[in-house]
């Protein structure tokens, strides 16, 4: 039986994947900071802790990947209807 992923698991996976993508593209953290507009210190903190603002995440993602992937993943047609707890 597979364990359900937690928000922390997802955060760690995204942190790791974006770090590996940066390295695969042979970008230093400084080069990613320049390309994305996100301060170098924030990129260092993100790659270490996984904590970042949503806007800064989008800026980094756009510098490394096709940003339309995020829009696709979050489009209403792809989100399964979840029961509400009302």
């Amino acid at each position: 039986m597979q364990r359900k992923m937690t928000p922390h698991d997802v955060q760690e996976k995204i942190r790791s994947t974006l770090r590996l993508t940066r390295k695969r593209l042979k970008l230093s953290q400084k080069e990613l900071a320049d390309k994305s507009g996100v301060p170098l210190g924030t990129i260092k903190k993100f790659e270490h802790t996984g904590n970042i603002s949503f806007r800064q995440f989008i800026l980094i993602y756009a510098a490394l990947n096709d940003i339309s992937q995020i829009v696709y993943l979050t489009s209403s047609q792809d989100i399964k209807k979840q029961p509400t707890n009302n």
Side-chain angles (χ1 to χ4, degrees):
M1 182 175 190
Q2 190 172 8
R3 179 177 74 87
K4 182 178 177 183
M5 289 189 80
T6 67
H8 177 74
D9 295 335
V10 173
Q11 180 180 356
E12 285 299 306
K13 178 66 176 167
I14 290 170
R15 178 197 63 78
S16 175
T17 300
L18 290 183
R19 181 175 180 266
L20 290 172
T21 300
R22 175 185 63 76
K23 289 183 169 214
R24 184 178 43 90
L25 294 172
K26 299 185 183 336
L27 290 173
S28 68
Q29 289 177 329
K30 172 73 169 109
E31 290 169 324
L32 179 57
D34 293 342
K35 186 175 180 178
S36 67
V38 175
L40 176 59
T42 301
I43 289 174
K44 287 180 178 186
K45 180 181 175 185
F46 170 65
E47 288 191 359
H48 181 70
T49 68
N51 291 323
I52 196 164
S53 77
F54 185 64
R55 176 163 172 67
Q56 290 170 326
F57 164 75
I58 291 172
L59 291 169
I60 291 172
Y61 194 92
L64 298 174
N65 296 292
D66 177 4
I67 198 167
S68 66
Q69 293 173 341
I70 293 174
V71 175
Y72 174 77
L73 289 173
T74 59
S75 67
S76 61
Q77 66 185 352
D78 295 325
I79 298 173
K80 294 178 182 175
K81 193 167 194 163
Q82 298 289 324
T84 58
N85 293 331
N86 293 335

